[in-house]
Amino acid sequence: MPQLENEHLMHVNQIEPTSEYQKNHPSSPILKNFEEYKTLYNESIENPTEFYGRIARKELDWIKDFDVTKYPLTGFNTSWFLNGEINASYNCVDRHAFKNPDKPAIVYEADEPGEGRIVTYGELLAEVSQLAQVLTELGVKKGDTVAVYLPMIPEAIATILAIVRIGAVHSVVFAGFSSGSLRDRINDADSRVVITTDESKRGGKSIETKKIVDEALKECPNVRNVIVVKRTGNKSVPFIEGRDVWYHEELPKYKTYTPPVPVNSEDTLFLLYTSGSTGKPKGIQHTTAGYLLNALLTTKYTFDVNQQDVFFTAGDIGWITGHTYVVYGPLAVGATTVVFEGTPAYPNFSRYWEIVDKYKVTQFYVAPTALRLLKRAGDHFIEKYDLSSLRVLGSVGEPIAAEVWEWYYEKIGRGRCTIQDTYWQTENGSHLIAPLAGITPMKPGSASLPFFGINPAIVDPVSGQELKGNNVEGVLCIKASWPSMTRSIWKDYSRYLDTYFNPYPGYFFTGDGGARDSDGFYWVLGRVDDVVNVSGHRLSTAEIEAAILENPNVAENAVVGFADELTGQAVAAFVSLKRKDLSEDQISLAKKELTQTVRKEIGPFAAPKLVLIVDDLPKTRSGKIMRRILRKVLAHEEDQLGDISTLSNPEAVTQIISSVQATR
Ligand code: WTA
């Protein structure tokens, strides 16, 4: 048996979900036992058409039944539930509103504790219907793209659902992105209408959201209208007559019900931009029925969400986690979703637990970066809250270290809750590998076993051969398509093939390293490409490098990720300036400016934690920058650089080692 590089990780005991979980369940768990998971999983792999056909008819309301499913691996060749007609907003709102109009759909907890409100399914249906008509009046038609630049407020959910109600496509841009990033995403998707807010509130601070939009729109010639939600009511917020309209003034002009527009199963539901290994962000394209079905199923099965549950995903709607597990999943199930505008640290580190206590949250889902912060803040922030409503705790976006997993299990779950370490990506739409609550044995640090219909493969990175059996390590791939798999990159199908299918023919390539341990459990070992993960935010080093190059003083630069206790990874930028004769003061000014450049070009969350000004970057004889060397030096592995004498400038390495050491 080959020696696994990461074997040390995998020697942990399985923790069986307690029988208490099943016994004390308020209704009844969705699956009876692990055996049932295995039976259903096997069917989902051996006979996906039958498995998914049956479940899709049972779980979703169709306007017209589908008649065929083709599931070859790649994008446009795949079609799930073809010729079916459906509407996602109907499935997330109407069908629950008709049965139970007074049931809370959204619990909105504003940035300031004590502010916020509840939106029932009945109210949500009215708001979605009215906004759908506003959009139609503004000329938005089926298939058009609408940009959404909104913070975590209930109007964000109404907006997403109103867009899909008329068969249009939403392109949500995380409200932490700068005007430049927003501009590029609006233009790439050709969005003609933008929905935003006057200002946003986060962590006690106001953010000038509308001003950022106005700045972006200076270079978006095709945008006709901006719908503005009044969040703070600050009178000094600019308003452009003829182009801008107020959300609260337009909606009441329309009827509180408008029928949903039928779309084909394979029609695009949304675009969501994400970072890849090359500079330009990619518009990941998801289709309606397949995405919606997997959002619903994973919410229901991974997290054991029933209609009476209150599901709190502490992620932003600007990322895929918010799309799937704040909006589509919980609402398709008919549960109550918590929309939290603030941060875990405001006004203090108790905020999440206060929300759990206040709304009797049953499932809580967050990225490990927040857990690390809260663990470090101290357990006295947890103790006075009643967390007994919690049944399931989720983790997403980055690996969760065993000690953080155990803290989560003991201190938050108090040994009663199950932990779902969910592995997936923007491109997958929903969980790929995740334990099912109360069913799958848990191993701290492992995402465990695949979801229904997901057929993972560990592939040898060099030969491209699948590594069969257990105790194998390589790159993580998927062997067959699944309903919520991305079908394309917007307007760039060849990049889609090059990124996901051409690296290992016959497989969908995730970009992550992975291993299968002796029990057949999967371990995600981090990205093998130039993507860094800062606080669960996915960033491309190439995109940050391009931003830094915008600064006129920069000759060359290289960006790499390095380990950070709190944020998982952090960004380091090695920069050589055009002028080499700068004083200390000028250098420190240049560093500040470079950080500012990244904040302005991409957004504050991408700002480098470390900027090192160097004379030269290590390069091969053909001029390629050796980022591997930079990564090793940052990881204190300067003794493992290998042979650097073949570089064109080995002396650059010596300077880099001493400037990194000087920062320690
Ligand atoms: C990483 C977020 C380890 C992984 C949903 C992936 C994880 C990237 C996990 C996708 C996990 C996500 N354990 N790593 N449970 N979940 N990742 O598109 O590197 O923002 O490729 O989707 O996050 O990030 P994205």
Side-chain angles (χ1 to χ4, degrees), residues 274 319-321 395-400 421-427 447 510-512 524 526-527 533 536-538:
T274 190
W319 308 106
I320 193 68
T321 302
S395 169
V396 59
E398 36 169 349
I400 178 165
D421 175 2
T422 61
Y423 167 72
W424 58 298
Q425 314 173 291
T426 306
E427 294 84 342
T510 62
D512 283 299
V524 179
R527 301 287 306 198
N533 192 330
H537 293 160
R538 179 169 158 181

Short mmCIF file of all heavy atoms in Angstrom, two decimals, residues 274 319-321 395-400 421-427 447 510-512 524 526-527 533 536-538, ligand 1:
data_model
loop_
_atom_site.label_atom_id
_atom_site.label_comp_id
_atom_site.label_asym_id
_atom_site.label_seq_id
_atom_site.Cartn_x
_atom_site.Cartn_y
_atom_site.Cartn_z
N THR A 274 -17.30 33.45 -10.05
CA THR A 274 -16.36 32.92 -9.08
C THR A 274 -14.96 32.99 -9.66
O THR A 274 -14.78 33.19 -10.85
CB THR A 274 -16.73 31.48 -8.66
OG1 THR A 274 -15.92 31.11 -7.55
CG2 THR A 274 -16.51 30.48 -9.78
N TRP A 319 -22.58 34.73 -2.29
CA TRP A 319 -21.80 33.53 -2.59
C TRP A 319 -22.75 32.35 -2.77
O TRP A 319 -23.93 32.43 -2.41
CB TRP A 319 -20.81 33.22 -1.46
CG TRP A 319 -19.94 34.38 -1.07
CD1 TRP A 319 -20.07 35.13 0.06
CD2 TRP A 319 -18.84 34.94 -1.80
NE1 TRP A 319 -19.10 36.11 0.09
CE2 TRP A 319 -18.33 36.02 -1.04
CE3 TRP A 319 -18.22 34.63 -3.01
CZ2 TRP A 319 -17.25 36.79 -1.45
CZ3 TRP A 319 -17.13 35.40 -3.42
CH2 TRP A 319 -16.65 36.46 -2.64
N ILE A 320 -22.23 31.24 -3.23
CA ILE A 320 -23.11 30.10 -3.52
C ILE A 320 -23.78 29.58 -2.24
O ILE A 320 -24.93 29.13 -2.28
CB ILE A 320 -22.34 28.97 -4.27
CG1 ILE A 320 -23.31 27.93 -4.85
CG2 ILE A 320 -21.32 28.30 -3.38
CD1 ILE A 320 -24.18 28.40 -5.97
N THR A 321 -23.09 29.64 -1.11
CA THR A 321 -23.71 29.13 0.13
C THR A 321 -25.01 29.87 0.43
O THR A 321 -26.01 29.27 0.82
CB THR A 321 -22.72 29.26 1.30
OG1 THR A 321 -21.55 28.53 0.96
CG2 THR A 321 -23.29 28.70 2.58
N SER A 395 -20.75 22.98 8.51
CA SER A 395 -19.49 23.68 8.25
C SER A 395 -19.29 23.68 6.73
O SER A 395 -19.58 22.69 6.06
CB SER A 395 -18.37 22.92 8.95
OG SER A 395 -17.11 23.39 8.54
N VAL A 396 -18.76 24.77 6.20
CA VAL A 396 -18.64 24.89 4.74
C VAL A 396 -17.51 25.81 4.32
O VAL A 396 -17.18 26.75 5.03
CB VAL A 396 -19.96 25.41 4.12
CG1 VAL A 396 -20.34 26.77 4.67
CG2 VAL A 396 -19.89 25.47 2.59
N GLY A 397 -16.95 25.54 3.17
CA GLY A 397 -16.08 26.51 2.50
C GLY A 397 -14.60 26.27 2.65
O GLY A 397 -13.81 26.75 1.86
N GLU A 398 -14.19 25.56 3.68
CA GLU A 398 -12.77 25.30 3.90
C GLU A 398 -12.68 24.11 4.84
O GLU A 398 -13.67 23.74 5.48
CB GLU A 398 -12.07 26.53 4.49
CG GLU A 398 -12.94 27.27 5.45
CD GLU A 398 -12.23 28.33 6.27
OE1 GLU A 398 -11.00 28.40 6.27
OE2 GLU A 398 -12.94 29.06 6.96
N PRO A 399 -11.52 23.53 4.95
CA PRO A 399 -11.39 22.39 5.86
C PRO A 399 -11.63 22.84 7.30
O PRO A 399 -11.25 23.96 7.66
CB PRO A 399 -9.94 21.95 5.69
CG PRO A 399 -9.42 22.66 4.49
CD PRO A 399 -10.27 23.85 4.26
N ILE A 400 -12.24 21.99 8.08
CA ILE A 400 -12.42 22.31 9.50
C ILE A 400 -11.43 21.45 10.28
O ILE A 400 -11.44 20.22 10.18
CB ILE A 400 -13.89 22.14 9.95
CG1 ILE A 400 -14.04 22.43 11.45
CG2 ILE A 400 -14.50 20.79 9.59
CD1 ILE A 400 -15.49 22.65 11.89
N ASP A 421 -19.91 18.37 7.88
CA ASP A 421 -18.81 19.05 7.19
C ASP A 421 -19.08 18.87 5.71
O ASP A 421 -18.91 17.78 5.17
CB ASP A 421 -17.48 18.42 7.61
CG ASP A 421 -16.29 18.99 6.85
OD1 ASP A 421 -16.48 19.89 6.01
OD2 ASP A 421 -15.17 18.51 7.09
N THR A 422 -19.56 19.94 5.07
CA THR A 422 -20.06 19.80 3.70
C THR A 422 -19.02 20.28 2.70
O THR A 422 -18.58 21.43 2.75
CB THR A 422 -21.34 20.63 3.54
OG1 THR A 422 -21.03 22.01 3.79
CG2 THR A 422 -22.42 20.17 4.50
N TYR A 423 -18.66 19.43 1.79
CA TYR A 423 -17.71 19.80 0.73
C TYR A 423 -18.46 20.03 -0.58
O TYR A 423 -19.18 19.13 -1.04
CB TYR A 423 -16.66 18.71 0.53
CG TYR A 423 -15.89 18.94 -0.74
CD1 TYR A 423 -14.97 19.98 -0.82
CD2 TYR A 423 -16.13 18.18 -1.88
CE1 TYR A 423 -14.30 20.25 -2.00
CE2 TYR A 423 -15.45 18.44 -3.06
CZ TYR A 423 -14.54 19.48 -3.11
OH TYR A 423 -13.90 19.75 -4.28
N TRP A 424 -18.28 21.17 -1.17
CA TRP A 424 -18.88 21.47 -2.47
C TRP A 424 -18.31 22.77 -2.98
O TRP A 424 -17.45 23.36 -2.34
CB TRP A 424 -20.41 21.51 -2.40
CG TRP A 424 -20.98 22.51 -1.43
CD1 TRP A 424 -20.79 22.53 -0.07
CD2 TRP A 424 -21.80 23.63 -1.71
NE1 TRP A 424 -21.47 23.60 0.48
CE2 TRP A 424 -22.10 24.29 -0.50
CE3 TRP A 424 -22.35 24.16 -2.90
CZ2 TRP A 424 -22.90 25.42 -0.43
CZ3 TRP A 424 -23.15 25.28 -2.82
CH2 TRP A 424 -23.42 25.91 -1.60
N GLN A 425 -18.80 23.22 -4.14
CA GLN A 425 -18.25 24.40 -4.80
C GLN A 425 -19.35 25.15 -5.55
O GLN A 425 -20.40 24.56 -5.84
CB GLN A 425 -17.22 23.96 -5.85
CG GLN A 425 -16.24 22.93 -5.37
CD GLN A 425 -15.36 22.43 -6.48
OE1 GLN A 425 -15.84 21.74 -7.39
NE2 GLN A 425 -14.10 22.77 -6.43
N THR A 426 -19.04 26.37 -5.91
CA THR A 426 -19.98 27.17 -6.71
C THR A 426 -20.46 26.36 -7.92
O THR A 426 -21.63 26.36 -8.26
CB THR A 426 -19.27 28.46 -7.18
OG1 THR A 426 -18.72 29.12 -6.03
CG2 THR A 426 -20.22 29.39 -7.90
N GLU A 427 -19.53 25.68 -8.54
CA GLU A 427 -19.83 24.94 -9.77
C GLU A 427 -20.78 23.77 -9.55
O GLU A 427 -21.44 23.31 -10.48
CB GLU A 427 -18.54 24.35 -10.37
CG GLU A 427 -17.54 25.37 -10.86
CD GLU A 427 -16.63 25.91 -9.76
OE1 GLU A 427 -16.96 25.76 -8.57
OE2 GLU A 427 -15.60 26.50 -10.13
N ALA A 447 -15.15 15.18 5.19
CA ALA A 447 -16.51 15.49 4.71
C ALA A 447 -17.32 14.20 4.54
O ALA A 447 -18.49 14.25 4.16
CB ALA A 447 -16.44 16.29 3.43
N THR A 510 -12.40 18.93 -9.82
CA THR A 510 -12.82 19.93 -8.84
C THR A 510 -11.77 21.00 -8.59
O THR A 510 -12.08 22.06 -8.07
CB THR A 510 -13.11 19.27 -7.48
OG1 THR A 510 -11.89 18.66 -7.01
CG2 THR A 510 -14.21 18.23 -7.56
N GLY A 511 -10.50 20.70 -8.89
CA GLY A 511 -9.43 21.63 -8.52
C GLY A 511 -8.90 21.39 -7.12
O GLY A 511 -7.99 22.07 -6.67
N ASP A 512 -9.47 20.41 -6.42
CA ASP A 512 -9.02 20.09 -5.05
C ASP A 512 -8.26 18.77 -5.02
O ASP A 512 -8.58 17.85 -5.77
CB ASP A 512 -10.21 19.96 -4.11
CG ASP A 512 -10.79 21.31 -3.71
OD1 ASP A 512 -10.05 22.10 -3.11
OD2 ASP A 512 -11.95 21.58 -4.04
N VAL A 524 -10.77 16.22 1.99
CA VAL A 524 -10.46 17.25 1.00
C VAL A 524 -9.16 17.90 1.43
O VAL A 524 -9.02 18.34 2.58
CB VAL A 524 -11.59 18.30 0.93
CG1 VAL A 524 -11.26 19.37 -0.09
CG2 VAL A 524 -12.91 17.61 0.59
N GLY A 526 -7.42 20.53 -0.08
CA GLY A 526 -7.10 21.90 -0.51
C GLY A 526 -6.86 22.00 -2.00
O GLY A 526 -6.66 21.01 -2.70
N ARG A 527 -6.84 23.22 -2.48
CA ARG A 527 -6.77 23.48 -3.92
C ARG A 527 -5.39 23.09 -4.47
O ARG A 527 -4.38 23.29 -3.81
CB ARG A 527 -6.99 24.96 -4.21
CG ARG A 527 -8.30 25.51 -3.75
CD ARG A 527 -9.49 25.08 -4.54
NE ARG A 527 -9.41 25.33 -5.95
CZ ARG A 527 -10.50 25.34 -6.75
NH1 ARG A 527 -11.71 25.12 -6.25
NH2 ARG A 527 -10.39 25.54 -8.03
N ASN A 533 -8.09 30.53 -0.44
CA ASN A 533 -9.35 30.54 0.28
C ASN A 533 -9.14 31.36 1.57
O ASN A 533 -8.55 30.89 2.52
CB ASN A 533 -9.68 29.07 0.60
CG ASN A 533 -11.08 28.91 1.10
OD1 ASN A 533 -11.64 29.81 1.72
ND2 ASN A 533 -11.66 27.75 0.84
N GLY A 536 -12.95 31.58 3.87
CA GLY A 536 -14.01 30.95 3.09
C GLY A 536 -14.34 31.70 1.81
O GLY A 536 -15.21 31.31 1.07
N HIS A 537 -13.64 32.81 1.53
CA HIS A 537 -13.83 33.51 0.25
C HIS A 537 -12.84 32.99 -0.75
O HIS A 537 -11.64 32.93 -0.49
CB HIS A 537 -13.59 35.02 0.40
CG HIS A 537 -14.61 35.71 1.25
ND1 HIS A 537 -14.39 36.92 1.83
CD2 HIS A 537 -15.85 35.34 1.62
CE1 HIS A 537 -15.45 37.28 2.52
NE2 HIS A 537 -16.34 36.33 2.41
N ARG A 538 -13.36 32.66 -1.91
CA ARG A 538 -12.51 32.06 -2.92
C ARG A 538 -11.91 33.15 -3.79
O ARG A 538 -12.63 33.94 -4.39
CB ARG A 538 -13.42 31.14 -3.72
CG ARG A 538 -12.78 30.43 -4.80
CD ARG A 538 -13.78 29.39 -5.27
NE ARG A 538 -13.46 29.03 -6.61
CZ ARG A 538 -14.16 28.15 -7.31
NH1 ARG A 538 -15.23 27.59 -6.79
NH2 ARG A 538 -13.80 27.86 -8.52
C1 WTA B 1 -13.16 24.60 -0.54
C2 WTA B 1 -18.03 27.08 -1.31
C3 WTA B 1 -12.60 21.56 2.63
C4 WTA B 1 -12.61 23.74 -1.66
C5 WTA B 1 -19.20 26.14 -0.99
C6 WTA B 1 -13.50 24.11 -2.83
C7 WTA B 1 -13.80 22.96 1.26
C8 WTA B 1 -13.78 25.56 -2.60
C9 WTA B 1 -15.01 22.55 1.86
C10 WTA B 1 -15.07 26.01 -3.22
C11 WTA B 1 -14.93 21.57 2.92
C12 WTA B 1 -15.46 23.96 0.29
N1 WTA B 1 -13.71 21.11 3.26
N2 WTA B 1 -12.61 22.46 1.65
N3 WTA B 1 -16.01 21.14 3.57
N4 WTA B 1 -16.01 23.19 1.23
N5 WTA B 1 -14.12 23.85 0.30
O1 WTA B 1 -16.89 27.84 -4.80
O2 WTA B 1 -11.28 24.11 -1.89
O3 WTA B 1 -16.73 29.38 -2.80
O4 WTA B 1 -12.90 23.88 -4.09
O5 WTA B 1 -17.85 27.14 -2.68
O6 WTA B 1 -13.83 25.69 -1.18
O7 WTA B 1 -15.36 27.35 -2.89
P1 WTA B 1 -16.72 28.01 -3.34
#
